[in-house]
Amino acid sequence: MPTAPRRRQPQPREDTARARIAAKRAAKKRVFPIGLAVGVVGIVAIVLMVSIIAGINAAMGRIQQDDPRRATVAPSGLSAVPAVPGAAAPAAGSLGAPFNILLVGVDRRTNPEEGVRSDTLIAVHVDPQQKTAAMLSIPRDTIVQVPNVGQAKINTAFATGYNNAEQIYGRGTAPDAGGGALAAETVEQFLGVKIDYVAQVDFSGFAQLVDAIGGVPIDLQQPLLDAEYPTDDYGVQRIYMPAGLQVMDGATALTFARSRHSSDDFGRAKRQQMVLRAILQQIKARGLVENASAISKWLDVLSANVRTTLPLSDPATLTSLAALAREISPDHIVQLSLNPDDAQLTMDGSDLYWNQADVEALVARWQGAAGAAGGAAARIQVLNASNTDGVATKITESLRAQGFQMLNPDNAITTSDTSRLIDFAGRPEVAQRLAAALGLPASAVVDTPGPGDPPEAEGVDIVLLVGNDFEQAWLGGR
């Protein structure tokens, strides 16, 4: 990523050293919480496997499962789920058009009260042409309308589908297929979008997959202490992880991602994002897409722990997935979630009730976020023209997590009461998208600097001048 030329020596109020450190860490951070990356690990692992290895039809048959939502005859028993408008089955063949996939992290431990259940739901919008993706996490305690259940927590959908697969979807439907299908249809209704595919991986499989890539490097910004981390036998244990850079094996990464009592569910989701980005970077760094010998060792793990409705038996699909694995960059994966910073929340105990209008606005942002990542060729620099220390660094991190291509932040030469966007490169579509992300009016975008504004600098397309009227929301999430 190009680095903008310095305009002057940094002032004490915007520590350049701290800005450089934050910029290095930005690739591992996210601003909006997001659910556990186990589903993504499963999809990436599938891509790695199917893109190179020949003669693995048996493994493909175990991983791929039919989507019971596509049945032509409605089963008897519990009521069928009404389809979302436009939710026709995706066409077979190469994944050339944008599609949505629901990633489900499954806890298969036999819970005396809930049985097998989903612990994580992440809707991912993928644009193969732009080589971008946008992820939207839905907290498991979100209250929604679950078909055949009524109002309940959204993770109830998987358990209901799992336990009643044949009654809902017809004779012969496997429990995990029924669970994934009902979870997908519940998410479709809640978000008002089509879910084309489902992918699920259980937690033991997640740990094994992380071990298969040699662990993941995680840089903890602060220590993690959870005095009540759940054990497999439904007891609790004390967990402590010190701050600093460390390489986590599968079990440690799972503990880090699942811990709930060290903060809240939204802080938990931040850690899960760190794991996701670290996994993707590790896969790219080790060149595992091209390493057939390494992939062949994963077949048993994948076959036992990953299930997806992606048509892996279609060679065109495998080719498309392989291309995505090679070409998509972690910097072009936008990470969002349903969280109190983006949607009004009412809590009743652990139940989460979200303002529907805010949910719709976030969904629209999610669907367009891949475009923001694809438009990242516009290089953006944040200059602090406010009287508040450190805001340029925090805003830079927040916008980078949303898919914008951000240069290192700096201080403006003078202070300003008003914030504005200066489009030096003639990129109005990106400037307006940036204004919308910040909640700035269209009038805040100008194409020429005014008196006291910074001059055009080589390598900088758009400057965000942060004035004293900046919003706290610009600084990122919790």
Side-chain angles (χ1 to χ4, degrees):
M1 180 180 298
T3 302
R6 300 185 59 82
R7 292 180 169 81
R8 64 183 181 87
Q9 294 297 318
Q11 299 300 313
R13 61 187 175 84
E14 186 75 38
D15 188 337
T16 300
R18 179 158 56 86
R20 286 198 302 267
I21 294 172
K24 290 179 181 177
R25 288 176 173 168
K28 297 176 185 168
K29 292 184 63 178
R30 50 127 354 258
V31 177
F32 302 98
I34 190 164
L36 180 61
V38 293
V40 178
V41 179
I43 292 301
V44 171
I46 293 170
V47 172
L48 296 176
M49 176 178 63
V50 303
S51 61
I52 305 173
I53 301 297
I56 56 173
N57 291 338
M60 290 297 94
R62 291 191 294 272
I63 294 171
Q64 180 181 339
Q65 61 184 187
D66 293 334
D67 191 338
R69 298 179 298 155
R70 312 304 181 197
T72 56
V73 179
S76 60
L78 298 181
S79 60
V81 183
V84 172
S94 62
L95 303 175
F99 62 91
N100 298 324
I101 183 167
L102 181 66
L103 309 178
V104 184
V106 181
D107 188 348
R108 294 188 183 277
R109 296 176 303 161
T110 304
N111 188 305
E113 297 179 358
E114 303 176 52
V116 174
R117 61 208 182 280
S118 63
D119 192 72
T120 299
L121 294 172
I122 310 171
V124 184
H125 180 70
V126 181
D127 189 332
Q129 296 179 346
Q130 295 286 341
K131 303 296 185 294
T132 58
M135 309 179 71
L136 177 61
S137 173
I138 306 171
R140 66 180 189 174
D141 291 334
T142 294
I143 299 299
V144 298
Q145 193 71 21
V146 179
N148 301 302
V149 175
Q151 273 208 333
K153 292 182 178 181
I154 197 166
N155 67 340
T156 303
F158 184 90
T160 301
Y162 187 96
N163 294 325
N164 302 279
E166 292 192 343
Q167 294 94 319
I168 298 175
Y169 294 107
R171 186 174 180 179
T173 303
D176 54 359
L182 192 59
E185 293 187 288
T186 301
V187 170
E188 282 185 333
Q189 291 189 15
F190 178 56
L191 299 183
V193 300
K194 177 176 68 172
I195 298 297
D196 299 300
Y197 307 106
V198 179
Q200 26 179 316
V201 62
D202 65 41
F203 290 138
S204 63
F206 166 78
Q208 293 176 55
L209 289 166
V210 171
D211 287 335
I213 61 173
V216 290
I218 300 290
D219 190 0
L220 276 69
Q221 304 301 300
Q222 58 186 19
L224 181 148
L225 174 62
D226 186 343
E228 298 180 335
Y229 184 82
T231 59
D232 289 343
D233 59 359
Y234 298 98
V236 295
Q237 61 180 323
R238 183 180 185 274
I239 298 296
Y240 176 78
M241 298 181 186
L245 181 64
Q246 52 194 282
V247 177
M248 296 185 179
D249 61 14
T252 305
L254 180 60
T255 299
F256 177 72
R258 292 197 70 194
S259 172
R260 301 187 73 189
H261 302 96
S262 55
S263 56
D264 54 22
D265 263 1
F266 306 109
R268 172 181 181 248
K270 280 189 177 183
R271 297 192 305 275
Q272 294 165 357
Q273 284 188 20
M274 293 175 66
V275 173
L276 167 61
R277 187 172 293 277
I279 289 169
L280 295 177
Q281 289 180 330
Q282 183 78 335
I283 289 172
K284 301 285 278 189
R286 295 188 62 188
L288 295 179
V289 175
E290 292 80 17
N291 191 339
S293 62
I295 296 173
S296 63
K297 299 176 182 178
W298 300 1
L299 291 178
D300 290 341
V301 174
L302 294 168
S303 298
N305 299 290
V306 176
R307 296 292 180 268
T308 181
T309 61
L310 278 162
L312 300 182
S313 58
D314 188 329
T317 298
L318 305 189
T319 300
S320 298
L321 289 173
L324 280 173
R326 288 191 300 269
E327 298 173 13
I328 196 167
S329 166
D331 290 337
H332 285 182
I333 298 176
V334 181
Q335 298 167 263
L336 304 171
S337 84
L338 191 55
N339 69 92
D341 293 324
D342 291 320
Q344 182 179 350
L345 170 64
T346 300
M347 298 186 65
D348 182 3
S350 63
D351 295 348
L352 307 179
Y353 295 85
W354 301 98
N355 178 277
Q356 188 59 37
D358 291 343
V359 172
E360 293 172 1
L362 184 59
V363 168
R365 178 179 167 192
W366 166 61
Q367 290 281 281
R379 295 157 296 186
I380 303 164
Q381 185 179 39
V382 181
L383 299 181
N384 187 6
S386 77
N387 293 319
T388 304
D389 295 345
V391 296
T393 294
K394 294 179 180 178
I395 293 171
T396 295
E397 295 170 355
S398 174
L399 293 174
R400 182 176 285 121
Q402 297 178 54
F404 293 98
Q405 181 168 326
M406 306 303 297
L407 303 174
N408 289 344
D410 206 341
N411 288 326
I413 297 174
T414 60
T415 59
S416 173
D417 289 332
T418 58
S419 301
R420 52 198 174 276
L421 286 159
I422 308 171
D423 180 10
F424 289 107
R427 299 297 304 273
E429 75 287 352
V430 179
Q432 291 295 342
R433 191 184 302 124
L434 183 57
L438 296 170
L440 284 171
S443 59
V445 179
V446 298
D447 55 14
T448 55
D453 285 346
E456 183 174 359
E458 183 179 356
V460 180
D461 297 321
I462 299 173
V463 166
L464 169 58
L465 198 69
V466 180
N468 287 317
D469 62 345
F470 74 88
E471 301 288 340
Q472 286 295 317
W474 298 6
L475 307 183
R478 302 164 66 89

